[in-house]
Amino acid sequence: MIPKVHRSSDMVRLLRYLAGPGKANEHTNQRVLAGDLVTASVFVGRVDTARAVEIARLLDSPRQTLLRGEPVLAVSHKKARALMAEGMSRTEAYTAATKVENTWHCSLSLGAEEGQLDDATWTAIAHDFMTEMGFADRDDQVPDARWVAVHHGLSANGNDHIHIAAGAIRPDGSRLDTYRDYSRAQDAARVLERKYGLKVLASREEGGTERGTSQAERARQERTGAPETEREALRRRVRAIAMATGSEAEWLREMRAAGIVVRPRYEAGGTDEVIGYAVRWPAHVAEDARPEKPIWYSGGKLAKDLTLSAIRGWAAWESGPAAREEALTEWRHGLAEKAVRPRRGAEAASPEMQDRVIAELGAWSRYMRTIPVGDRDAWATAASQSAGAFAALSMRTEVRPGPLDRLSRQLARAGQQPAHTRRPHNVHGSGLRSVARMLWAAQSPQASQVALATALVECLTEIGRMLEASDRAHAAAAMASTARRALTEIHMRAEGIDPSRPYRREAGSPAWACAMRAAAVVNGTDRRETEHQIAEATPLWHQEQLMSRIRPGGERYDEKGQILGETAQQKEKRVRDALDAAARPRTPAQNRSGKGADPTLFGRTRRSMQPGDWAAMRDGTEELHTYSADPDSSAPESSAGPARTPETEHPEHQPYRAPESNPRHDRDHGR
């Protein structure tokens, strides 16, 4: 179960949305399942937008009555401090960091694979969730909040879910306690998953989560025309540069050289100790020439392992007094530092460099096998460093986040650990720095770096074995699945197969061979045996592919297995040929009056007909005139052979004559 908390200012707008058709008309059978005592006694059942307005007024009535409609304000002191650090005055900063929060809204969603729950179960879950959150059934005599639970069918992705809306003010005038409500909602979901036998999220139980991409970020990406969101771009670069540099000062210089604006966060009371940072891109201009306001992202908002303290733990930077003083000098340059040209190695794309990188990765894999399973700090550090190497290769081979970036993020989630469990200094050193440095400095590597990706995936499988040995089977299985899919996609792109287009997957096809090779690497099976199986199945598939070209009505696909669809040019040619054939003059069979069949006999006029309709009707009526008044004329031949006549079928028979009229017989048949 996934809870998602929102706060907003307009209760009526929220309830109208929940009872309405939805953004894509996906809401169906909108109904109220549960609520507080007053709300449930009146509004349980089907709900429309008019009734939703009444519910909204009831939920908001304590604020309207006791506060005379005054808004409930919430101030983000963290945002205010960040704005003041940018030079904004205190008054303006706190005004900008204040927003109205009259409503509290949370959705509880199940995965599509879990199916649907009945209304009685959802009702019980809603009551238990509000109790776990402390919004209802309290032991301190505090009245329940005004709340309602609405169900309106499956989401666009097929997820069964409910929405819970509550007013920010209780009936006694006290304010709803929303402190740490995000984490409290996760704790409540954990309790409900076990109570109702739902799927337990491994990410919540074992850690390894990351912040999702919001709709606003996607919309900003579309406006600016960027290949990825700003958060994704910053996350890839910050992680890759951290692994490719040897000191904190070098990390700062290289980030600024990559065009990233960096801002330090000093310890309170001075500028002698940097305890955090924030990054952003320079101001963008959208396609409609509107400037986009720059957005700052702290290290923790990029990823949990990209906070400054976490990077200092796993990046294994130099930590002597001279290195710390150099880093502090770089931090003090602040926003005034001008970008310089990033360092690039001329030999980075050479085959010798790739051989050196693969050899280093092999040594790193052997080193990880020596890490004790119980040394969580050591293998978490190894996972974060491997994530940095993947991010460096992703930066040089992927225009937008692809399979290598997914593997990097998977490893980064495995490397997350609480700050109090990290060692002050990394005792194992960094065996991947030279690898990441060479990958980051690459000038023009090919997008199909299969050998490098395979060597990196072997490092990832070692992390997976450590996870499985340390009773984190869910995380190990997720890592193996991600690695298998990502490496399959890398092999497919190297073979010239576009994974975004439909393709054949049966045994012997190129896509199947790519999946077999990826599975052999991830599962650690014999690769020579895998290649032998591929060599045996491929010729049979090629024979089937050749037969498909001459088989009528079959699915067409090329030698790579990509399914061939009708292109726009092919469709245009087919329509044009059909129109030409319909307009071609033909000699229809004559009817008894000696004229062609008139379309007005079928209830249509010539003026109302479209091009080609007359030819289609004419062709269809030809079969009606098997016999002609002209003894010299012959009936048209059909695909079954020449038309048969009574003389040719039974020469001794006479031509057909209509029977004599029988009044009683005609009357009985309605004639």
Side-chain angles (χ1 to χ4, degrees):
M1 178 184 294
I2 301 177
K4 192 172 183 180
V5 176
H6 302 273
R7 300 171 193 160
S8 60
S9 60
D10 194 339
M11 182 68 76
V12 173
R13 182 178 179 183
L14 171 61
L15 267 295
R16 286 176 64 91
Y17 166 75
L18 297 181
K23 295 180 179 179
N25 294 321
E26 73 275 19
H27 294 174
T28 58
N29 191 21
Q30 298 91 328
R31 58 199 184 277
V32 172
L33 298 182
D36 63 278
L37 182 61
V38 177
T39 306
S41 62
V42 179
F43 293 105
V44 166
R46 291 296 301 272
V47 61
D48 55 15
T49 53
R51 198 167 176 83
V53 174
E54 299 178 14
I55 299 174
R57 289 171 178 168
L58 175 61
L59 300 184
D60 200 36
S61 59
R63 184 179 69 88
Q64 296 291 339
T65 303
L66 301 174
L67 300 185
R68 293 180 174 84
E70 289 295 325
V72 178
L73 302 179
V75 180
S76 173
H77 297 279
K78 182 178 180 181
K79 182 179 180 180
R81 288 193 296 268
L83 293 175
M84 286 189 290
E86 295 182 17
M88 188 178 292
S89 67
R90 181 181 180 86
T91 302
E92 293 176 345
Y94 272 91
T95 301
T98 302
K99 63 178 182 177
V100 179
E101 294 182 355
N102 295 333
T103 72
W104 187 87
H105 169 215
C106 180
S107 62
L108 301 177
S109 177
L110 303 179
E113 69 280 359
E114 295 185 75
Q116 302 181 45
L117 301 180
D118 54 56
D119 287 357
T121 304
W122 272 126
T123 300
I125 288 176
H127 280 284
D128 289 346
F129 180 78
M130 295 300 283
T131 301
E132 292 292 333
M133 291 295 296
F135 297 160
D137 299 330
R138 294 171 62 103
D139 298 330
D140 53 3
Q141 305 303 316
V142 175
D144 296 350
R146 290 273 188 263
W147 65 277
V148 67
V150 178
H151 192 290
H152 51 205
L154 303 179
S155 68
N157 296 325
N159 306 105
D160 193 15
H161 66 287
I162 63 171
H163 292 265
I164 299 177
I169 301 299
R170 299 176 184 271
D172 64 349
S174 62
R175 183 170 175 174
L176 203 66
D177 181 16
T178 58
Y179 177 67
R180 296 184 65 251
D181 52 353
Y182 294 93
S183 58
R184 285 160 53 196
Q186 296 290 341
D187 295 338
R190 181 186 297 112
V191 173
L192 298 179
E193 286 170 348
R194 287 181 166 80
K195 181 176 181 179
Y196 292 94
L198 304 176
K199 180 182 178 180
V200 178
L201 295 183
S203 58
R204 186 189 296 123
E205 296 298 307
E206 300 174 355
T209 59
E210 66 178 16
R211 187 182 295 268
T213 303
S214 66
Q215 294 181 355
E217 289 176 317
R218 290 297 181 196
R220 184 184 178 94
Q221 174 194 356
E222 294 177 1
R223 290 195 303 270
T224 58
E228 56 187 332
T229 65
E230 293 186 359
R231 187 198 304 272
E232 292 170 338
L234 290 169
R235 179 173 54 206
R236 280 205 296 167
R237 287 159 176 80
V238 170
R239 179 176 285 124
I241 297 173
M243 193 65 240
T245 50
S247 66
E248 190 170 326
E250 185 185 3
W251 175 64
L252 290 170
R253 287 192 294 267
E254 197 68 20
M255 282 205 297
R256 291 185 179 119
I260 301 174
V261 182
V262 190
R263 181 183 68 192
R265 180 165 63 89
Y266 294 102
E267 191 175 19
T271 58
D272 295 333
E273 183 68 24
V274 179
I275 60 175
Y277 72 97
V279 290
R280 68 167 174 85
W281 288 112
H284 291 283
V285 177
E287 295 179 355
D288 57 359
R290 290 185 305 173
E292 295 283 347
K293 182 180 178 181
I295 298 178
W296 288 98
Y297 293 94
S298 65
K301 286 187 177 181
L302 297 179
K304 290 185 178 180
D305 66 326
L306 291 183
T307 63
L308 187 58
S309 59
I311 295 177
R312 286 169 173 170
W314 59 259
W317 287 330
E318 298 177 10
S319 57
R324 288 196 296 270
E325 186 63 30
E326 183 185 10
L328 187 59
T329 302
E330 287 293 331
W331 282 115
R332 286 171 177 167
H333 285 167
L335 306 180
E337 177 69 14
K338 295 182 179 180
V340 295
R341 226 182 134 76
R343 182 182 61 253
R344 294 289 180 267
E347 83 292 351
S350 64
E352 293 78 11
M353 182 277 294
Q354 180 167 305
D355 294 339
R356 287 166 52 197
V357 168
I358 293 175
E360 291 279 355
L361 290 173
W364 179 249
S365 296
R366 291 190 295 273
Y367 156 72
M368 285 193 292
R369 297 190 190 103
T370 65
I371 299 177
V373 174
D375 192 351
R376 176 161 182 170
D377 178 79
W379 60 255
T381 300
S384 296
Q385 292 179 349
S386 301
F390 270 106
L393 184 58
S394 172
M395 282 301 307
R396 294 297 165 241
T397 60
E398 297 175 338
V399 176
R400 55 177 52 85
L404 291 170
D405 178 67
R406 292 197 296 272
L407 292 175
S408 173
R409 291 160 55 190
Q410 188 76 38
L411 280 165
R413 289 194 291 271
Q416 293 176 8
Q417 56 178 333
H420 66 276
T421 63
R422 302 190 192 107
R423 293 190 181 96
H425 300 291
N426 182 17
V427 299
H428 295 278
S430 175
L432 278 184
R433 171 154 295 114
S434 58
V435 171
R437 191 184 294 272
M438 286 186 285
L439 294 175
W440 175 255
Q443 285 184 336
S444 57
Q446 309 236 340
S448 57
Q449 297 276 10
V450 178
L452 281 176
T454 301
L456 282 168
V457 169
E458 289 176 346
C459 299
L460 181 143
T461 56
E462 295 297 333
I463 303 293
R465 293 190 186 99
M466 285 191 240
L467 290 173
E468 192 169 7
S470 59
D471 298 329
R472 296 182 67 185
H474 289 290
M479 180 172 292
S481 177
T482 303
R484 193 178 301 109
R485 292 196 304 269
L487 191 55
T488 299
E489 182 176 338
I490 292 170
H491 276 282
M492 289 176 64
R493 293 191 182 279
E495 292 291 332
I497 305 172
D498 185 0
S500 63
R501 291 177 50 198
Y503 54 87
R504 307 286 295 192
R505 305 167 186 243
E506 64 268 19
S509 64
W512 171 82
C514 294
M516 290 287 290
R517 293 187 177 100
V521 174
V522 176
N523 299 333
T525 56
D526 189 353
R527 300 186 195 178
R528 288 178 297 181
E529 178 62 26
T530 300
E531 292 296 334
H532 179 68
Q533 295 176 10
I534 294 173
E536 288 184 341
T538 299
L540 298 176
W541 184 85
H542 280 301
Q543 293 179 9
E544 175 64 22
Q545 192 264 337
L546 292 174
M547 292 297 295
S548 70
R549 298 182 180 180
I550 60 175
R551 186 182 300 118
E555 190 175 53
R556 300 290 303 278
Y557 49 93
D558 59 15
E559 64 278 0
K560 298 295 184 180
Q562 300 272 194
I563 297 175
L564 300 176
E566 187 180 41
T567 64
Q569 292 80 3
Q570 292 172 336
K571 183 177 180 179
E572 182 180 357
K573 183 178 182 301
R574 177 176 58 80
V575 174
R576 186 171 58 252
D577 292 344
L579 293 175
D580 292 343
R584 190 177 302 119
R586 299 176 62 180
T587 305
Q590 299 295 315
N591 58 13
R592 297 185 184 276
S593 64
K595 298 179 181 180
D598 190 351
T600 58
L601 298 176
F602 298 90
R604 302 183 68 179
T605 64
R606 294 181 183 271
R607 182 173 298 178
S608 64
M609 297 178 67
Q610 300 296 324
D613 289 355
W614 156 239
M617 284 190 176
R618 177 196 60 203
D619 298 342
T621 56
E622 286 177 358
E623 298 296 330
L624 300 177
H625 308 294
T626 305
Y627 311 107
S628 174
D630 186 357
D632 297 332
S633 65
S634 58
E637 295 184 357
S638 65
S639 60
R644 295 177 297 178
T645 64
E647 289 78 12
T648 58
E649 188 173 2
H650 297 289
E652 69 276 12
H653 290 177
Q654 296 296 324
Y656 174 79
R657 291 182 180 179
E660 295 181 0
S661 175
N662 187 332
R664 185 178 62 180
H665 178 76
D666 294 347
R667 183 179 66 252
D668 293 342
H669 286 80
R671 297 183 181 177

